Amino acid sequence: MKKILLALILCLTVAFVAACGSEEESKLAKLQDEGKVTIGFANEKPYAYEENGELKGAAVDIAKAVFAELGVEEVESELLEFGQLISGLNAGQFDVITAGMAIKPDRCENAAFGEPEMMYGEGLVVQKGNPLNLESYEDIANNPEVTIAVMQGATENDFLKDSGVSPDQILSVPDIPASIAAVQSGRADATTATQFTLQDAFESAGTDELEFVESFQQPDVDGVPSYGAAAFNLNDTELLNAYNEALADLKADGTVAELLEKNGFSAQMNVVPEEITTEKVCNGEI
């Protein structure tokens, strides 16, 4: 009887372990069976944004192309504030983040980033005529009276602090349009974000009260330039590996470069060099 009982317990244990492994490995199969993936994004042109109910942007187009290669054609989207994307991913609200999110070592602890899809720098918008002569983050740091609006959770928060800007000078806002509005209303003297996002938001605002600083000096801090990538739950290793394999094929055949150019990026300036990998960025080697 004891032998039978032990054998039964062993069988149940093996079955349980197998079931757990099967559940982990079946995430990709589940998406393929359903033919649908749910993407989390923040409203930030030209990376990922919603227009007339449709999800658009460079990161979105790349993700759609990759998932199509994997046999997943339908995309559902969920809009969140940028700072809530990783927590939403880990809470199971969606399958993947695609928002041009920069790979950073601290973020790598909470999300599994795919290989880099794009490379980009920073930008600065100020009031018309640039009355405070702001051309760098150091200029902001050197004038404690300056207030700068920054999207919550964005890498620019760290870039500013690394450049000597006091946290008291940073006005946290939920998104890029809110940062532009803060400068327009006088609540902030300037705002910063990735160059393409900020330039697009500035042009969309259609105001003569603001100015895009063409002479802006890129900060000499870790993380500039930034490398944007899709991100997955840390447990979704199979899905991440499949995504990276398909992404590599689309990089090799020129599809990724074409999709970047379609969305206003430069195939020369914004395509990620082959030697840049997520592992190196996460480890702080780059």
Side-chain angles (χ1 to χ4, degrees):
M1 180 64 70
K2 289 183 179 179
K3 291 183 178 179
I4 294 175
L5 183 59
L6 287 172
L8 180 59
I9 291 173
L10 180 60
C11 288
L12 289 173
T13 302
V14 171
F16 176 77
V17 172
C20 291
S22 173
E23 183 180 350
E24 180 180 348
E25 294 171 355
S26 66
K27 181 65 175 289
L28 174 60
K30 178 175 178 291
L31 297 181
Q32 291 172 326
D33 288 341
E34 294 177 351
K36 179 177 66 177
V37 60
T38 302
I39 291 177
F41 73 105
N43 235 10
E44 186 178 1
K45 272 189 173 183
Y47 306 96
Y49 61 98
E50 195 171 48
E51 187 173 85
N52 299 322
E54 183 180 355
L55 187 58
K56 296 183 176 182
V60 172
D61 286 348
I62 292 170
K64 284 182 176 179
V66 171
F67 277 106
E69 289 289 305
L70 298 176
V72 183
E73 298 285 349
E74 185 181 347
V75 171
E76 286 191 353
S77 60
E78 184 160 344
L79 172 65
L80 287 179
E81 291 182 6
F82 189 88
Q84 298 175 336
L85 286 174
I86 289 181
S87 58
L89 176 68
N90 290 328
Q93 289 181 244
F94 27 80
D95 305 305
V96 59
I97 296 169
T98 179
M101 180 178 282
I103 306 166
K104 295 177 60 182
D106 59 338
R107 287 176 177 166
C108 295
E109 296 177 4
N110 298 299
F113 282 89
E115 289 301 324
E117 299 173 1
M118 60 189 69
M119 179 173 69
Y120 49 80
E122 305 301 310
L124 188 72
V125 164
V126 298
Q127 293 170 354
K128 186 67 176 180
N130 198 0
L132 299 177
N133 296 315
L134 304 176
E135 295 184 330
S136 68
Y137 290 164
E138 285 73 17
D139 288 341
I140 297 169
N142 292 334
N143 186 345
E145 300 300 316
V146 173
T147 297
I148 183 162
V150 188
M151 183 171 67
Q152 179 184 4
T155 53
E156 287 74 22
N157 289 280
D158 291 333
F159 295 161
L160 287 164
K161 293 171 186 175
D162 290 345
S163 300
V165 177
S166 168
D168 295 338
Q169 294 178 260
I170 300 174
L171 173 67
S172 183
V173 294
D175 53 33
I176 300 299
S179 72
I180 293 288
V183 183
Q184 280 184 287
S185 67
R187 293 173 58 225
D189 302 295
T191 183
T192 185
T194 56
Q195 178 185 350
F196 291 103
T197 295
L198 196 60
Q199 191 161 3
D200 185 85
F202 166 72
E203 293 172 355
S204 296
T207 176
D208 57 4
E209 300 173 346
L210 304 179
E211 179 178 316
F212 189 87
V213 182
E214 299 290 348
S215 57
F216 177 69
Q217 301 168 25
Q218 291 295 321
D220 184 17
V221 296
D222 289 342
V224 178
S226 296
Y227 302 98
F232 302 82
N233 188 289
L234 290 169
N235 294 321
D236 291 337
T237 304
E238 181 193 14
L239 179 59
L240 170 65
N241 291 339
Y243 186 95
N244 280 336
E245 289 179 13
L247 176 64
D249 290 340
L250 295 179
K251 284 182 176 181
D253 69 13
T255 298
V256 169
E258 290 176 9
L259 293 175
L260 287 172
E261 287 189 315
K262 169 191 167 185
N263 286 278
F265 291 82
S266 163
Q268 290 183 327
M269 295 179 61
N270 303 114
V271 169
V272 182
E274 290 184 9
E275 66 270 17
I276 304 297
T277 67
T278 292
E279 182 180 7
K280 290 179 180 179
V281 179
C282 287
N283 289 341
E285 296 178 41
I286 296 174

